Amino acid sequence: MCLAVPVRVTELLPDQMAKVSLDGVSKSISVALVDDVSVGDYVILHVGFALSKVDAVEAERTLAMIRDFAGMNE
C-alpha cells in the first residue's frame, strides 16, 4: 500500500527542489513533476516527490481526517 499526503511548501530551493512542512516536520523534496509551485501551495507528497498541487481546503480536510484516524485530535 502506498501513502501520499498533502504538505505545505515553505521554501523554493534550487534544482527543482522545495522545503515542505507537515505538523512542524520539514523535509526537502523534488517538485520536478509539478508545474508552477509557489511558497504556500499544498502538494501531494509521495516518497520525496511532489505529484500534484492540491487546493488548500482539500489539503486541510485530508490532513484532519488523517489526524482523526491516528487519534491525534483527541
Side-chain angles (χ1 to χ4, degrees):
M1 180 167 103
C2 297
L3 179 65
V5 295
V7 293
R8 187 173 175 270
V9 176
T10 58
E11 183 180 350
L12 295 176
L13 304 171
D15 301 322
Q16 295 184 312
M17 299 291 288
K19 187 170 281 189
V20 297
S21 178
L22 175 62
D23 288 340
V25 177
S26 293
K27 178 176 179 72
S28 293
I29 67 164
S30 172
V31 292
L33 302 175
V34 182
D35 292 330
D36 301 321
V37 174
S38 300
V39 171
D41 286 346
Y42 280 87
V43 295
I44 299 297
L45 173 65
H46 178 65
V47 292
F49 289 87
L51 301 179
S52 64
K53 290 199 303 188
V54 65
D55 176 80
V57 172
E58 182 64 26
E60 290 296 339
R61 186 170 53 185
T62 300
L63 290 170
M65 286 189 295
I66 292 170
R67 289 180 189 112
D68 284 344
F69 182 73
M72 296 172 66
N73 281 343
E74 296 178 354

